[in-house]
Amino acid sequence: MRYYLRLRLHLLLRLLRELGWWRLLLLSTMLLLVLGRALLLAAASQQLVWLVPLGMGALVLSLHRHRADIGFLQLSAPLFRRWLAVEYALLSLPVVLVLLGRSRVLAALLVPIVAAAAAWAPAVNASAARKPARSLFRSVAFEWVSVGRRWWLGAGWLLLLAVAVATRTTATGPALAVVSWLFLLL
């Protein structure tokens, strides 16, 4: 287990080097704020608190099914599913602590059990994971990097931003600027 946790730490450090610490900090802060607010709202309600174990289970299951190291773990450790169950239960501890702080004991006990159960789910086929699903929108439309490749997109964005600012007193001008920007990108 110690070697596995060391491997996970090296993977996290590699991601930190590749993404950069400031991007990772910005993205994780925004994600934690949104998820934390949703968790606090759900924990305050008698009925919504039962969505927390389901949501945590769905999140862990989604992350587990798309892991790239399942084949490696099968070869290196025959009892790897127990390790994954412990890892997933430990990752769910902040949610458990929030639920215990709101006196939701049964839901708090259910969260690590559901998270650990995701370790026994099968992984997605490698061939199915490699084929991306067809999308209605081109991926280039949502890349801010494409502005650097096409200078006229940057100039068009500045022009549309100026139009939106100039017509901000009405709702029509900014709405047309946004729609024009989408058409420009598509």
Side-chain angles (χ1 to χ4, degrees):
M1 183 75 168
R2 181 181 56 206
Y3 297 116
Y4 173 71
L5 291 176
R6 188 178 298 159
L7 177 72
R8 298 296 290 168
L9 179 67
H10 285 295
L11 178 67
L12 180 66
L13 292 175
R14 190 186 82 198
L15 283 173
L16 188 63
R17 275 194 310 270
E18 288 177 2
L19 285 177
W21 66 270
W22 63 274
R23 283 186 189 152
L24 192 61
L25 182 68
L26 181 68
L27 290 174
S28 60
T29 302
M30 289 177 19
L31 183 66
L32 283 176
L33 285 174
V34 169
L35 291 178
R37 181 69 180 154
L39 177 63
L40 288 175
L41 286 174
S45 172
Q46 288 282 355
Q47 291 80 23
L48 290 180
V49 74
W50 297 107
L51 291 178
V52 174
L54 292 176
M56 188 69 186
L59 178 67
V60 171
L61 182 65
S62 172
L63 292 173
H64 170 75
R65 288 184 47 84
H66 293 285
R67 285 181 70 128
D69 62 346
I70 294 288
F72 169 73
L73 290 174
Q74 286 175 342
L75 292 174
S76 63
L79 302 175
F80 76 97
R81 297 216 185 259
R82 292 181 190 169
W83 294 359
L84 292 178
V86 170
E87 178 186 358
Y88 296 156
L90 287 175
L91 286 175
S92 70
L93 280 182
V95 175
V96 171
L97 293 175
V98 169
L99 291 176
L100 286 176
R102 295 286 184 150
S103 300
R104 308 290 187 200
V105 178
L106 290 177
L109 291 175
L110 193 58
V111 167
I113 293 170
V114 170
W120 279 273
V124 175
N125 291 342
S127 62
R130 285 192 189 123
K131 284 191 269 184
R134 297 277 302 161
S135 174
L136 296 175
F137 300 106
R138 292 179 19 205
S139 62
V140 177
F142 298 104
E143 288 182 12
W144 290 105
V145 180
S146 65
V147 174
R149 289 188 294 230
R150 298 180 183 135
W151 64 270
W152 52 271
L153 282 176
W157 182 80
L158 287 174
L159 178 70
L160 289 173
L161 182 65
V163 167
V165 169
T167 59
R168 69 180 179 272
T169 57
T170 66
T172 309
L176 287 176
V178 169
V179 171
S180 301
W181 174 245
L182 287 176
F183 280 126
L184 240 173
L185 289 177
L186 292 175

